Amino acid sequence: MYLCIKSVNNMLSSKYKRKGLVGLFDKEDTSNKLSKLGNPLEKLHKVIDFEMFRLELELALLNHDKKSNAGCKPYDVVMMFKIILLKRFYNMSDEQAEYQINDRLSFKEFLGLSSGDRVPDARTIWLFQEKLIQNNLEEILFSQFRNHLNQLGLLVNEGKIADASFVETPRQRNTKEENAQIKSGSGSELWNAQPYKKRQKDIDARWTEKNGQKFYGYKDHAKIDSKSKLIDTYEVTSAEVHDSRALESLLREDDKGQELYADSAYIGDTIDTMLKDKEITPQIIERAFRNKPLTEEQKENNKSKSKIRCRVEHAFGFVSNSMGDFYIRSIGFLRAKGVIGLINLVYNMFRYEQIVRLNLLPVKR
């Protein structure tokens, strides 16, 4: 019987390609193959020096009051920050991040890890992101990278586009009475006798409806540069906040003298007055009203405005199609704001890599 099985195995091994061959250059060969297939992390690493973030990360996250070097040393903060970026790009949980880093060569190379290095566990990854968000570092690092892009001349400042996208979170199953109390602003008084349940309840997210479809969570309000499609500024609110209400907080002093493109959600005398006071020219898509259809001139103007305004959809489309969509698993406004800020930062990084690789805009060297 044994001889029969052995002869069959020998026949199969001669019929198909051989397996189980181990060579000295296996890792290098795999890396080269990944590179040829198009490794997005390798492309990102070629154009961004992540050391630019070290000072801010170390100042905010390291314990500077230690009296001795005793005890377990922390993981390198830049490497941990890159793990958080991996989480956001692939929309992974902490557990999945730990597993994938152990499993995938491309992740290890992006993080600078060798086969013998220890990989941070899910709890360590969660704690690092929690501390990063508690210190509002996502805002600081986003601004730092934005300034870097500006110094390279990539924020062209020849027009801006404003829009908002829903960011959904796990839907809550509350009673009508509980939802009414949450809407009234006293949701923090609920579930005090059930602390474990309370930790899983998001009293900051809100329901809203658009085009007959219901959404639950938050909104990412963004202003992008019309030439580079890079996110210039952003604001996070709960989902029921109207797009136009966050517009003023998106505007900066250097928007003066530019045109601002937006869809019809931003129509209104208050918006027009605010923009003109800031010396910004509104280019808002007009809409028809009952018994007041658009004129042919208005339709032509809308077509012209839409050619520029639609560029914001490219930014949101990248998040939806390449980053696992606008869906996050966090609970509470502070964490949602932090995660959404990191999503915007990751988008800007990959958009910058695309600009450099495809030579879409001149970059100052």
Side-chain angles (χ1 to χ4, degrees), residues 115-216:
S115 58
D117 293 330
R118 290 186 60 186
V119 172
D121 60 21
R123 178 67 177 171
T124 302
I125 296 170
W126 183 88
L127 285 170
F128 183 87
Q129 179 172 296
E130 189 76 358
K131 197 170 180 181
L132 185 149
I133 290 172
Q134 292 291 333
N135 284 276
N136 287 318
L137 265 181
E138 83 285 348
E139 293 182 8
I140 295 169
L141 299 178
F142 180 91
S143 295
Q144 183 182 351
F145 192 64
R146 180 208 176 275
N147 293 336
H148 175 66
L149 296 172
N150 196 32
Q151 289 169 5
L152 294 173
L154 296 181
L155 293 174
V156 184
N157 292 325
E158 292 181 8
K160 304 293 183 185
I161 310 169
D163 204 355
S165 180
F166 292 113
V167 181
E168 294 195 85
T169 58
R171 299 186 173 191
Q172 304 285 297
R173 306 299 177 189
N174 304 325
T175 65
K176 289 184 179 179
E177 293 76 18
E178 289 169 342
N179 281 330
Q181 190 168 339
I182 290 170
K183 286 181 181 178
S184 70
S186 54
S188 58
E189 299 170 10
L190 292 167
W191 309 295
N192 287 330
Q194 300 169 286
Y196 294 109
K197 182 177 182 177
K198 186 168 186 173
R199 288 196 200 110
Q200 302 303 316
K201 291 295 183 178
D202 192 337
I203 60 172
D204 299 320
R206 291 290 184 271
W207 285 97
T208 193
E209 187 173 339
K210 184 177 181 181
N211 299 328
Q213 187 176 357
K214 291 185 178 181
F215 298 89
Y216 180 78

Side-chain angles (χ1 to χ4, degrees), residues 153-154 156 225 227-229 351 355-356 358-363:
L154 296 181
V156 184
D225 186 85
K227 293 288 185 183
S228 64
K229 302 180 193 174
R351 176 58 184 164
I355 289 170
V356 173
L358 301 179
N359 196 24
L360 300 175
L361 290 170
V363 180

Side-chain angles (χ1 to χ4, degrees), residues 23-34 105-106 108-109 112-116:
L24 291 173
F25 304 102
D26 288 351
K27 182 180 175 183
E28 184 179 343
D29 291 343
T30 303
S31 296
N32 290 336
K33 188 166 186 180
L34 288 172
L105 176 62
S106 61
K108 280 192 170 76
E109 290 187 339
L113 290 171
S114 300
S115 58

